[in-house]
């Protein structure tokens, strides 16, 4: 049984002007997502700026999210780290706090071998009972989980359920699913590739786009699963301009700007991320307007 099927939002972490987590705004964002059909909340991931949260803040945000969502949809907690012991600590604590699953990013900077990746993910998964979704994003980590390693982990480690694939390499995804034999729950990690990965047997998407267009992202998946592939494709293609705008600078810079333009008050970013270049703002505004958001 998959952790979730459909569109899960990789939700931002809103900050106050003084840099503290803005829990009031976070509660509003969570309600906005649930009201608009999002199928799961992925908290403290890349989009949530987890890399600049202290361990205490990280766990407090997970705790708050779990309590506010209150079982209405699954909560997947980002607990990955380039330090195996840290990933174990965060994962164990997230399980205690009531997270339904964890998302484990490939260790960054270390550039582990495939053997090292296997041992890292197995060690973390063995420390908890809740499901694990691997997160492959080599553009940010400098390290790729090969299809054979994903399949080996999902086959040999009982609670490793699948992978968020954000390599952008469709050929790699095809190979992965050819080897998977139904043992790998695949989630798209790229909003412009939702339908292609669903066509390969994917369960859904872990989405940045859902922050600003939760209903539409949900419907891309819903229509596909209902057999309306043409309708799903049309929504996917309609979203391309907005997806491009949301990634015209490193995530989550544009999506936070988009939420602020929408009046959602997601706040600022933590350094080393900085505010969006003013030259890119008109492009983002146009994409939001063309999509019918502004």
């Amino acid at each position: 049984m998959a952790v979730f099927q459909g569109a899960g939002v990789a939700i931002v972490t809103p900050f106050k002007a003084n840099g503290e987590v803005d829990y009031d705004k976070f509660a509003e964002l969570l309600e906005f997502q649930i009201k608009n059909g999002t199928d799961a909340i992925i908290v403290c991931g890349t989009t949530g700026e987890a890399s600049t949260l202290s361990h205490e803040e990280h766990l407090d945000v997970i705790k708050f999210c779990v309590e506010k969502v209150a079982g209405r949809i699954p909560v997947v907690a980002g607990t990955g780290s380039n330090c195996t012991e840290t990933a174990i600590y965060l994962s164990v604590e997230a399980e205690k706090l009531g997270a339904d699953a964890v998302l484990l990013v490939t260790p960054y900077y270390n550039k582990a071998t495939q053997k090292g990746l296997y041992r890292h993910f197995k060690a973390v998964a063995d420390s908890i009972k809740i499901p694990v979704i691997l997160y492959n994003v080599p553009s940010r980590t400098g390290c790729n989980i090969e299809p054979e390693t994903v399949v080996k982990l999902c086959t040999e480690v009982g609670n490793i359920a699948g992978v968020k694939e954000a390599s952008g390499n469709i050929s790699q995804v095809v190979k992965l699913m050819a080897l998977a034999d139904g043992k790998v729950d695949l989630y798209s990690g790229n909003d412009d590739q939702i339908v292609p990965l669903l066509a390969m047997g994917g369960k859904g998407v872990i989405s940045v786009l859902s922050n600003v267009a939760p209903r539409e992202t949900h419907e891309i998946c819903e229509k596909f699963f209902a057999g309306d592939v043409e309708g799903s494709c049309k929504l996917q293609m309609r979203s391309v301009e907005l997806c491009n705008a949301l990634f015209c600078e490193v995530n989550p810079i544009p999506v936070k700007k988009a939420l602020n333009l929408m009046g959602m008050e997601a706040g600022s970013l933590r350094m080393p991320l900085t505010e969006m270049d003013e030259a890119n703002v008109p492009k983002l505004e146009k994409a939001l307007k063309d999509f019918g958001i502004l």
Side-chain angles (χ1 to χ4, degrees), residues 14-74:
F15 295 123
K16 298 177 182 178
N18 65 2
E20 295 177 357
V21 176
D22 190 336
Y23 286 103
D24 289 338
K25 291 300 174 186
F26 191 38
E28 292 177 12
L29 292 175
L30 290 169
E31 292 304 324
F32 170 70
Q33 290 295 322
I34 293 171
K35 180 181 178 181
N36 284 280
T38 289
D39 299 291
I41 305 291
I42 292 77
V43 62
C44 291
T46 305
T47 312
E49 297 177 75
S51 58
T52 57
L53 297 174
S54 69
H55 290 172
E56 292 76 16
E57 287 176 318
H58 194 135
L59 295 174
D60 284 346
V61 171
I62 293 171
K63 181 176 186 289
F64 183 88
C65 182
V66 169
E67 291 176 351
K68 287 297 176 185
V69 172
R72 288 176 285 177
I73 56 177

Side-chain angles (χ1 to χ4, degrees), residues 30-157:
L30 290 169
E31 292 304 324
F32 170 70
Q33 290 295 322
I34 293 171
K35 180 181 178 181
N36 284 280
T38 289
D39 299 291
I41 305 291
I42 292 77
V43 62
C44 291
T46 305
T47 312
E49 297 177 75
S51 58
T52 57
L53 297 174
S54 69
H55 290 172
E56 292 76 16
E57 287 176 318
H58 194 135
L59 295 174
D60 284 346
V61 171
I62 293 171
K63 181 176 186 289
F64 183 88
C65 182
V66 169
E67 291 176 351
K68 287 297 176 185
V69 172
R72 288 176 285 177
I73 56 177
V75 172
V76 181
T79 55
S81 172
N82 65 335
C83 171
T84 304
E85 290 304 317
T86 299
I88 289 172
Y89 166 71
L90 291 173
S91 299
V92 168
E93 294 303 311
E95 182 176 37
K96 290 177 185 175
L97 292 171
D100 296 287
V102 298
L103 180 71
L104 298 180
V105 71
T106 310
Y108 37 89
Y109 189 76
N110 312 61
K111 297 187 76 171
T113 63
Q114 296 302 303
K115 178 182 177 182
L117 292 177
Y118 177 89
R119 291 181 61 182
H120 168 83
F121 287 124
K122 185 178 187 303
V124 181
D126 284 347
S127 72
I128 57 177
K129 292 184 173 61
I130 57 176
V132 170
I133 300 173
L134 310 175
Y135 178 15
N136 190 36
V137 57
S139 65
R140 296 191 80 126
T141 64
C143 190
N144 182 51
I145 316 176
E146 297 292 343
E148 293 85 354
T149 305
V150 174
V151 173
K152 183 177 170 68
L153 283 161
C154 290
T155 302
E156 297 182 0
V157 185

Side-chain angles (χ1 to χ4, degrees), residues 80-250:
S81 172
N82 65 335
C83 171
T84 304
E85 290 304 317
T86 299
I88 289 172
Y89 166 71
L90 291 173
S91 299
V92 168
E93 294 303 311
E95 182 176 37
K96 290 177 185 175
L97 292 171
D100 296 287
V102 298
L103 180 71
L104 298 180
V105 71
T106 310
Y108 37 89
Y109 189 76
N110 312 61
K111 297 187 76 171
T113 63
Q114 296 302 303
K115 178 182 177 182
L117 292 177
Y118 177 89
R119 291 181 61 182
H120 168 83
F121 287 124
K122 185 178 187 303
V124 181
D126 284 347
S127 72
I128 57 177
K129 292 184 173 61
I130 57 176
V132 170
I133 300 173
L134 310 175
Y135 178 15
N136 190 36
V137 57
S139 65
R140 296 191 80 126
T141 64
C143 190
N144 182 51
I145 316 176
E146 297 292 343
E148 293 85 354
T149 305
V150 174
V151 173
K152 183 177 170 68
L153 283 161
C154 290
T155 302
E156 297 182 0
V157 185
N159 60 331
I160 297 183
V163 62
K164 174 186 176 182
E165 240 299 336
S167 68
N169 185 341
I170 295 294
S171 296
Q172 176 168 296
V173 175
V174 172
K175 181 179 181 181
L176 167 64
M177 297 309 280
L179 295 172
D181 192 28
K183 297 181 176 69
V184 177
D185 292 339
L186 173 68
Y187 296 94
S188 176
N190 294 315
D191 285 307
D192 60 352
Q193 295 180 348
I194 302 171
V195 173
L197 267 68
L198 293 181
M200 291 308 305
K203 299 293 185 182
V205 59
I206 295 178
S207 170
V208 175
L209 176 66
S210 284
N211 280 279
V212 299
R215 176 63 61 185
E216 293 83 354
T217 314
H218 165 80
E219 287 179 354
I220 290 173
C221 298
E222 183 179 55
K223 286 179 181 294
F224 187 95
F225 293 134
D228 183 7
V229 176
E230 182 180 357
S232 179
C233 286
K234 284 181 178 177
L235 275 175
Q236 173 78 91
M237 290 185 285
R238 180 174 167 247
S239 72
V240 168
E241 180 189 2
L242 182 53
C243 290
N244 289 340
L246 289 172
F247 288 89
C248 68
E249 292 187 28
V250 68

